[in-house]
Amino acid sequence: MKKAEVLKEIIEQRRSIFPKDYTDAEISQEVIDEILHSATLAPNHKRTKPWRFKIFKGEEKAKLASEMQTIYKATQPEQLFLEKKYNDIGFKINKANVVVSIVVNFSGMVPEWEEIAATSMAVQNMYLSCTANNVGCYWSSPKIVDHLKESLTIEENQKCLGLFYMGEV
């Protein structure tokens, strides 16, 4: 099969696959490394490499789930709080084998939209690498990620664009 045909097939098969459909199997560290390496190959103007990723597995992932549930509860007016949504936040994070925070670092060297675009292209590379490795994944951008500044050690010139969930399917 020609490289172009393989690429076309991977692009056509790329889908968001949600944590409810993940198995309990672990993604190998080798595959995780390959997925993250593919992200670093995204084009970026002036080589700013604006993406910043933090991997959450095991206990760190459980802490992230708990923190996001706490943030949701604290930021929702009582009349809008939904127990189902609260539980879903914890379920999705805990069901995923790996959660990666997606943060853009604004260098000041190029317009901000270019660095957001480059980070988005890095995430697309992750999606394609997941597809090629039969790993389910999806990018979520809930509003509560804006409150994760401390746990993600987000600096003044950075912004969290969401979380990337991965799991075996």
Side-chain angles (χ1 to χ4, degrees), residues 7-159:
L7 177 61
K8 181 179 182 274
E9 184 178 318
I10 291 169
I11 291 170
E12 288 174 346
Q13 290 177 1
R14 193 221 48 85
R15 298 278 180 276
S16 289
I17 300 173
F18 302 100
K20 68 178 180 55
D21 297 316
Y22 300 165
T23 68
D24 292 333
E26 267 194 50
I27 303 168
S28 74
Q29 189 59 50
E30 180 182 36
V31 170
I32 293 168
D33 292 344
E34 179 184 327
I35 291 165
L36 291 170
H37 175 69
S38 73
T40 68
L41 302 175
N44 55 103
H45 192 194
K46 295 195 179 190
R47 299 182 189 183
T48 61
K49 298 183 180 189
W51 46 80
R52 301 290 182 270
F53 302 114
K54 182 174 179 179
I55 301 168
F56 293 87
K57 289 175 71 173
E59 197 175 301
E60 270 196 319
K61 187 172 57 88
K63 274 202 242 176
L64 176 67
S66 178
E67 180 180 2
M68 286 187 63
Q69 286 178 310
T70 300
I71 291 168
Y72 172 71
K73 197 171 198 173
T75 58
Q76 282 300 311
E78 194 175 324
Q79 67 275 18
L80 297 178
F81 177 83
L82 299 172
E83 191 73 31
K84 182 185 180 340
K85 186 167 183 175
Y86 175 86
N87 291 334
D88 282 350
I89 290 167
F91 171 79
K92 287 191 302 188
I93 294 171
N94 287 311
K95 184 70 174 154
N97 182 241
V98 177
V99 177
V100 179
S101 62
I102 303 164
V103 174
V104 61
N105 182 69
F106 299 112
S107 68
M109 295 170 61
V110 298
E112 287 186 0
W113 74 265
E114 287 189 24
E115 301 202 293
I116 292 170
T119 302
S120 298
M121 292 166 87
V123 174
Q124 176 68 352
N125 284 359
M126 290 168 56
Y127 259 111
L128 296 174
S129 292
C130 283
T131 301
N133 284 288
N134 295 311
V135 170
C137 64
Y138 98 105
W139 180 359
S140 175
S141 52
K143 185 148 181 57
I144 59 178
V145 297
D146 293 341
H147 299 276
L148 292 174
K149 274 189 175 277
E150 284 183 38
S151 61
L152 298 180
T153 56
I154 294 177
E155 297 169 19
E156 204 56 44
N157 62 323
Q158 298 177 338
K159 178 175 177 50

